[in-house]
Amino acid sequence: GDLARFRTGGWLELLGRLDFQVKVRGVRIELGEIVAALERHEAVREAVVAAKRGPEGPPRLVAYVVPREGREREADPARLADFLRARLPEPMVPSAWMTLEKLPLTPNGKVDRRALPDPEPGAGLAGSGTPYVEPSTALERVVAGIWRDFLPVEQIGARDNFFALGGHSLLATQVVSRLRTLLPVEVPLRTMLERPTVAGLAAAIDAMGRAEAIDMDEVAETILLLNEMSEEDVQRMLAERAETAEEIEEINAEV
C-alpha cells in the first residue's frame, strides 16, 4: 500500500501511502475507521482524522470536527473522545482535536489534507474538555507531577485521562517505571491502562499499599517534601537519620 519511486541515482524515494492507513507509535491505524465512528455521533456533521508530527515528538492522531448547527456543546472534544473509546481501541482515539466551521476542500471537492491546520502544542487535547479538579491527596499530586514530566501539559487535574492528554503505551511504561522507583509497591502496567485518570490510578496504588499495610499518602507526603528540598538539604537529612540509626544501634547493643 506504499507509494514510492526510483530516483535517477538509484535511490528509492518513499512518497507515502496510497490509502489512509498510517502508523502511529508502532500501531497500524486505518483513519477511515475512526472517521466512520466519529460521524455516527449525532452532533457531528463532518470529520477528518490525520496523523500530524508535532514539535513535542512522534506523530499523533488529530481529529478535525465540523459539528451540526446548534449542537456544538455535544460535539466537544472530551465527549467525542469518550464516544470513540466505547467503540474503538485506545490507540485509535485521537489525542488532539480541532473544531472547524468547515473542512478545507480541493478544487475537485475532496478534503484538502494539506490545508488542515496544525494544532498548537498542548492545545485542543481531548482532556481539555474535562473540568479541572485539583488533585486532593498527596498521592494524587505525586501522580500528576510525574505525568507532567512526560506530557506536553502544564496543568493536570484529578479527573484528566492520561491518554486523552496525549499519552500512549510507551509513555505509560515510562510513567510506571518512575512510580516503581519512587513508591514501595510494584505498580503493574495493566493498572495504568485500566485506571488512566490521576484519581483512578492513585486510588489503585493506595489499595495496593493498604494490602501491604503501607500508608501510601504518608509516602507521597515524603516524596513531595523531598521534591521541595535542595540536594544539600536532602543529604543533610539523610546524614542526621544515619546518626540517629547508629545511636539506636548503640543503645540496643548496651541493652
Side-chain angles (χ1 to χ4, degrees), residues 144-241:
I146 293 173
W147 286 15
R148 277 195 296 272
D149 291 340
F150 294 97
L151 298 173
V153 184
E154 287 298 323
Q155 189 180 63
I156 297 178
R159 296 180 183 174
D160 284 332
N161 185 298
F162 180 80
F163 300 102
L165 293 175
H168 50 81
S169 57
L170 178 58
L171 287 181
T173 302
Q174 296 173 352
V175 167
V176 167
S177 178
R178 179 78 62 83
L179 287 168
R180 290 172 177 171
T181 301
L182 293 176
L183 301 176
V185 293
E186 189 76 8
V187 182
L189 178 59
R190 178 182 294 276
T191 301
M192 178 80 184
L193 301 177
E194 294 177 349
R195 307 292 293 276
T197 65
V198 169
L201 181 57
I205 294 172
D206 186 54
M208 294 176 203
R210 286 199 306 272
E212 300 183 23
I214 300 173
D215 187 336
M216 295 306 301
D217 242 12
E218 185 176 323
V219 173
E221 290 282 6
T222 302
I223 293 172
L224 294 174
L225 176 63
L226 291 174
N227 286 341
E228 294 175 359
M229 296 172 66
S230 66
E231 186 175 347
E232 292 77 11
D233 289 338
V234 172
Q235 293 300 328
R236 189 180 304 111
M237 183 188 70
L238 292 175
E240 290 173 356
R241 290 191 175 185

Side-chain angles (χ1 to χ4, degrees), residues 10-150:
W11 292 94
L12 183 65
E13 181 182 5
L14 182 64
L15 301 176
R17 296 285 299 183
L18 288 169
D19 55 19
F20 293 124
Q21 186 182 93
V22 297
K23 193 172 186 179
V24 177
R25 302 180 184 103
V27 179
R28 283 283 184 187
I29 294 173
E30 178 57 60
L31 298 179
E33 291 184 32
I34 307 174
V35 172
L38 264 178
E39 291 184 341
R40 287 200 291 270
H41 193 285
E42 295 180 349
V44 175
R45 180 160 62 87
E46 292 180 290
V48 150
V49 177
K52 294 273 189 177
R53 184 179 294 277
E56 69 274 8
R60 59 175 177 167
L61 294 178
V62 183
Y64 299 86
V65 175
V66 179
R68 295 188 185 277
E69 188 175 353
R71 307 191 69 170
E72 290 81 3
R73 181 174 296 182
E74 298 173 57
D76 76 65
R79 294 185 181 184
L80 293 179
D82 287 341
F83 179 81
L84 288 184
R85 284 192 187 93
R87 293 159 177 80
L88 299 173
E90 184 67 42
M92 296 181 72
V93 178
S95 60
W97 297 73
M98 295 194 72
T99 301
L100 305 178
E101 293 184 2
K102 61 180 180 179
L103 298 177
L105 302 178
T106 62
N108 61 5
K110 294 184 177 180
V111 175
D112 187 352
R113 290 178 170 269
R114 294 185 179 180
L116 292 170
D118 292 326
E120 296 180 4
L125 298 170
S128 64
T130 302
Y132 176 75
V133 176
E134 188 173 352
S136 60
T137 67
L139 190 52
E140 288 182 2
R141 292 196 293 275
V142 167
V143 171
I146 293 173
W147 286 15
R148 277 195 296 272
D149 291 340
F150 294 97

